[in-house]
């Protein structure tokens, strides 16, 4: 996993994409190849016009996404490059530490970053998360227990949270 400032070399290198059908609908993955290694750059729910060339993605990467969405995997072992500001990267890194099946609040993240008044800024950083699922921003909810927003839609966020919740219950029994 790597985070970088915006406009890195990956921004200028050739980008590819592939889409897979999942239980929550189509999932498109934008990636680049560097030094014989695939780096995930963006994950998008649904089909969108992408600034990349269509090219089949490796089976291991597809398998990890399918397993995660089928409830058979709790974390990814993929290489990725998340481009963002210093604050966005801090938010994403903290969000990545939220355990599978658990939630935290926007306020919790803001306080952990020693910016207790930065709740909205945390929400904006999560909105810009290029790697939903890998950086599990769906695990961040409002302090009052409401689900909050999600760049891919509240319905998908709700389904992901329910999936993780029920998968956690089934492994505890």
């Amino acid at each position: 996993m790597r985070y970088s400032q915006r406009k890195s070399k990956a921004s200028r290198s050739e980008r590819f994409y592939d889409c897979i059908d999942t239980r929550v609908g189509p999932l498109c993955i934008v990636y680049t190849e560097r030094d014989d290694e695939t780096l995930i750059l963006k994950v998008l729910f649904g089909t969108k016009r992408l600034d990349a060339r269509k090219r089949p993605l490796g089976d291991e990467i597809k398998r990890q996404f399918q397993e995660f969405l089928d409830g058979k995997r709790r974390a990814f072992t993929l290489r990725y490059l998340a481009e963002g500001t210093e604050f966005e990267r801090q938010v994403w890194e903290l969000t990545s530490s939220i355990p599978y099946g658990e939630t935290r609040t926007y306020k919790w993240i803001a306080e952990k970053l020693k910016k207790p008044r930065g709740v909205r800024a945390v929400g904006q950083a999560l909105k810009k998360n290029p790697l939903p699922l890998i950086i599990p921003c769906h695990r961040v909810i409002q302090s009052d227990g409401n689900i909050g927003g999600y760049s891919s839609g509240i319905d998908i966020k709700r389904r992901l949270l329910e999936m993780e919740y029920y998968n956690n219950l089934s492994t505890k029994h």
Side-chain angles (χ1 to χ4, degrees):
M1 102 177 102
R2 281 193 7 215
Y3 298 94
S4 75
Q5 295 290 343
R6 297 203 189 282
K7 304 297 179 201
S8 71
K9 287 184 181 181
S11 298
R12 294 184 297 272
S13 64
E14 190 162 15
R15 294 171 178 243
F16 307 100
Y17 79 94
D18 197 6
C19 299
I20 57 176
D21 290 321
T22 72
R23 67 187 318 178
V24 294
L27 186 70
C28 292
I29 301 157
V30 178
Y31 65 98
T32 191
E33 292 177 349
R34 188 184 302 164
D35 301 325
D36 293 325
E37 182 175 58
T38 300
L39 290 174
I40 307 297
L41 302 173
K42 193 177 274 193
V43 176
L44 302 154
F45 287 96
T47 54
K48 298 176 174 65
R49 184 153 171 78
L50 300 170
D51 185 21
R53 264 187 349 159
K54 176 108 169 100
R55 181 196 231 174
L57 193 57
D59 290 339
E60 171 62 16
I61 294 170
K62 288 181 183 181
R63 184 177 61 76
Q64 286 195 37
F65 280 102
Q66 284 289 10
E67 286 176 353
F68 183 85
L69 291 168
D70 288 343
K72 297 175 184 166
R73 171 179 290 276
R74 293 174 177 248
F76 294 91
T77 58
L78 303 171
R79 304 277 298 162
Y80 62 85
L81 182 63
E83 298 177 350
T85 66
E86 179 67 26
F87 178 74
E88 289 166 351
R89 291 180 294 135
Q90 289 173 353
V91 169
W92 300 338
E93 193 166 325
L94 192 54
T95 301
S96 294
S97 73
I98 302 170
Y100 183 93
E102 296 183 22
T103 58
R104 299 292 184 272
T105 64
Y106 298 98
K107 182 179 179 182
W108 179 86
I109 292 174
E111 288 173 348
K112 287 284 187 188
L113 295 176
K114 302 199 182 330
K115 298 189 184 296
R117 299 175 138 217
V119 174
R120 287 181 188 235
V122 166
Q124 290 302 308
L126 291 174
K127 182 179 179 181
K128 294 177 184 176
N129 172 12
L131 301 164
L133 301 182
I134 297 172
I135 300 171
C137 54
H138 61 277
R139 296 180 189 154
V140 182
I141 62 172
Q142 295 176 346
S143 294
D144 63 5
N146 285 326
I147 198 164
Y150 192 60
S151 60
S152 300
I154 292 173
D155 184 52
I156 290 176
K157 182 175 184 174
R158 184 173 285 111
R159 290 174 70 186
L160 293 170
L161 289 171
E162 288 172 356
M163 174 194 74
E164 289 188 14
Y165 173 79
Y166 289 112
N167 286 338
N168 258 1
L169 279 182
S170 67
T171 58
K172 291 180 180 179
H173 293 87

